[in-house]
Amino acid sequence: MTRNIIIAAVVLVVVIACGVVEVGVLTKQYGKLYEQCNVAIEQCAQKTLSVEQYNELRDSWVELREQSELLLPHVDVYEINLRFAEGQAYAEQGDYKQLQAQLEVVAELLQYVPHLMKPSLSHIV
Protein backbone atom coordinates (compact mmCIF):
# COMPACT_ATOMS: atom_id res chain seq x y z
CA MET A 1 0.00 0.00 0.00
CA THR A 2 2.78 2.44 0.95
CA ARG A 3 4.64 1.57 -2.24
CA ASN A 4 1.58 2.47 -4.36
CA ILE A 5 1.25 5.83 -2.61
CA ILE A 6 4.94 6.59 -3.19
CA ILE A 7 4.66 5.64 -6.88
CA ALA A 8 1.55 7.81 -7.26
CA ALA A 9 3.30 10.73 -5.56
CA VAL A 10 6.35 10.39 -7.80
CA VAL A 11 4.16 10.25 -10.91
CA LEU A 12 2.25 13.33 -9.75
CA VAL A 13 5.48 15.26 -9.16
CA VAL A 14 6.80 14.28 -12.61
CA VAL A 15 3.54 15.32 -14.32
CA ILE A 16 3.47 18.66 -12.51
CA ALA A 17 7.15 19.29 -13.29
CA CYS A 18 6.58 18.54 -16.98
CA GLY A 19 3.62 20.91 -16.98
CA VAL A 20 5.63 23.71 -15.41
CA VAL A 21 8.46 23.24 -17.92
CA GLU A 22 5.99 23.14 -20.81
CA VAL A 23 4.28 26.35 -19.70
CA GLY A 24 7.66 28.04 -19.35
CA VAL A 25 8.85 26.93 -22.77
CA LEU A 26 5.59 27.91 -24.48
CA THR A 27 5.53 31.29 -22.76
CA LYS A 28 9.04 31.95 -24.05
CA GLN A 29 8.05 30.88 -27.56
CA TYR A 30 4.99 33.16 -27.50
CA GLY A 31 7.30 36.01 -26.47
CA LYS A 32 9.64 35.26 -29.36
CA LEU A 33 6.76 35.20 -31.84
CA TYR A 34 5.45 38.44 -30.34
CA GLU A 35 8.80 40.09 -31.09
CA GLN A 36 8.75 38.73 -34.65
CA CYS A 37 5.23 40.07 -35.05
CA ASN A 38 6.35 43.52 -33.91
CA VAL A 39 9.09 43.48 -36.53
CA ALA A 40 6.48 42.60 -39.17
CA ILE A 41 4.24 45.43 -37.92
CA GLU A 42 7.12 47.87 -38.33
CA GLN A 43 7.78 46.53 -41.82
CA CYS A 44 4.10 47.05 -42.66
CA ALA A 45 4.35 50.65 -41.50
CA GLN A 46 7.32 51.07 -43.84
CA LYS A 47 5.55 49.05 -46.58
CA THR A 48 8.49 46.67 -46.88
CA LEU A 49 7.01 43.37 -45.60
CA SER A 50 7.14 40.78 -48.37
CA VAL A 51 4.80 37.84 -48.80
CA GLU A 52 7.74 35.52 -48.08
CA GLN A 53 8.49 37.28 -44.80
CA TYR A 54 4.82 37.11 -43.84
CA ASN A 55 4.75 33.39 -44.68
CA GLU A 56 7.77 32.80 -42.44
CA LEU A 57 5.95 34.53 -39.58
CA ARG A 58 2.82 32.52 -40.25
CA ASP A 59 4.82 29.26 -40.38
CA SER A 60 6.30 30.13 -36.98
CA TRP A 61 2.77 30.52 -35.67
CA VAL A 62 1.70 27.14 -37.10
CA GLU A 63 4.59 25.43 -35.30
CA LEU A 64 3.73 27.15 -32.03
CA ARG A 65 0.02 26.48 -32.45
CA GLU A 66 0.59 22.76 -32.79
CA GLN A 67 2.56 22.74 -29.55
CA SER A 68 0.09 24.80 -27.57
CA GLU A 69 -3.33 23.55 -28.65
CA LEU A 70 -3.54 21.07 -25.77
CA LEU A 71 -3.02 23.74 -23.10
CA LEU A 72 -4.99 26.66 -24.46
CA PRO A 73 -8.64 27.39 -25.08
CA HIS A 74 -9.32 26.71 -28.74
CA VAL A 75 -11.25 29.96 -29.17
CA ASP A 76 -8.14 32.05 -28.50
CA VAL A 77 -5.91 29.91 -30.70
CA TYR A 78 -8.57 29.94 -33.42
CA GLU A 79 -8.74 33.75 -33.31
CA ILE A 80 -5.01 33.97 -34.00
CA ASN A 81 -5.48 31.50 -36.88
CA LEU A 82 -8.20 33.68 -38.37
CA ARG A 83 -6.07 36.82 -38.11
CA PHE A 84 -3.15 35.12 -39.84
CA ALA A 85 -5.46 33.77 -42.57
CA GLU A 86 -6.94 37.22 -43.18
CA GLY A 87 -3.47 38.71 -43.11
CA GLN A 88 -2.37 36.29 -45.84
CA ALA A 89 -4.79 37.83 -48.32
CA TYR A 90 -3.71 41.34 -47.37
CA ALA A 91 -0.03 40.41 -47.72
CA GLU A 92 -0.65 39.00 -51.18
CA GLN A 93 -2.61 42.12 -52.20
CA GLY A 94 -0.02 44.48 -50.74
CA ASP A 95 -2.64 46.09 -48.48
CA TYR A 96 -0.24 47.09 -45.73
CA LYS A 97 -2.79 49.10 -43.75
CA GLN A 98 -5.14 46.14 -43.32
CA LEU A 99 -2.25 43.72 -42.78
CA GLN A 100 -0.83 45.95 -40.07
CA ALA A 101 -4.23 46.04 -38.36
CA GLN A 102 -4.41 42.23 -38.38
CA LEU A 103 -0.89 41.92 -37.03
CA GLU A 104 -1.64 44.42 -34.25
CA VAL A 105 -4.46 42.13 -33.09
CA VAL A 106 -2.19 39.08 -33.39
CA ALA A 107 0.46 40.83 -31.28
CA GLU A 108 -2.11 41.64 -28.60
CA LEU A 109 -3.31 38.04 -28.54
CA LEU A 110 0.27 36.72 -28.42
CA GLN A 111 0.77 38.73 -25.24
CA TYR A 112 -2.56 37.68 -23.72
CA VAL A 113 -2.73 33.98 -24.53
CA PRO A 114 0.28 32.79 -22.46
CA HIS A 115 -1.46 34.24 -19.41
CA LEU A 116 -4.20 31.64 -19.98
CA MET A 117 -1.73 28.75 -19.59
CA LYS A 118 -0.83 29.73 -16.06
CA PRO A 119 -3.18 28.23 -13.48
CA SER A 120 -4.87 30.80 -11.32
CA LEU A 121 -7.98 30.98 -9.21
CA SER A 122 -9.70 33.27 -11.72
CA HIS A 123 -9.27 30.63 -14.45
CA ILE A 124 -10.73 27.91 -12.28
CA VAL A 125 -13.74 29.78 -10.94
Side-chain angles (χ1 to χ4, degrees):
M1 179 71 168
T2 305
R3 186 174 136 198
N4 289 341
I5 292 172
I6 292 172
I7 291 172
V10 168
V11 169
L12 181 62
V13 167
V14 169
V15 168
I16 290 172
C18 289
V20 168
V21 168
E22 186 174 25
V23 167
V25 168
L26 285 177
T27 299
K28 184 177 179 181
Q29 289 176 336
Y30 269 86
K32 181 179 175 186
L33 188 59
Y34 171 76
E35 294 302 323
Q36 293 172 337
C37 191
N38 281 333
V39 169
I41 290 168
E42 184 60 35
Q43 289 175 320
C44 280
Q46 298 171 359
K47 298 184 180 185
T48 60
L49 182 68
S50 69
V51 174
E52 292 78 18
Q53 290 169 317
Y54 181 80
N55 287 337
E56 288 176 20
L57 178 65
R58 189 172 181 189
D59 290 343
S60 295
W61 161 246
V62 170
E63 289 177 24
L64 179 55
R65 180 194 71 202
E66 290 174 359
Q67 295 173 5
S68 62
E69 281 183 326
L70 290 175
L71 287 177
L72 295 170
H74 290 292
V75 173
D76 298 307
V77 173
Y78 184 67
E79 180 67 26
I80 298 173
N81 283 333
L82 288 177
R83 298 298 177 155
F84 270 113
E86 287 180 46
Q88 184 71 45
Y90 296 132
E92 291 171 3
Q93 296 169 1
D95 189 343
Y96 291 106
K97 186 176 181 179
Q98 291 295 329
L99 179 56
Q100 184 175 353
Q102 294 299 325
L103 289 174
E104 293 281 355
V105 174
V106 168
E108 184 70 28
L109 288 168
L110 290 173
Q111 277 190 305
Y112 172 72
V113 168
H115 151 79
L116 298 174
M117 287 185 282
K118 298 172 184 154
S120 70
L121 187 59
S122 64
H123 294 152
I124 296 169
V125 177

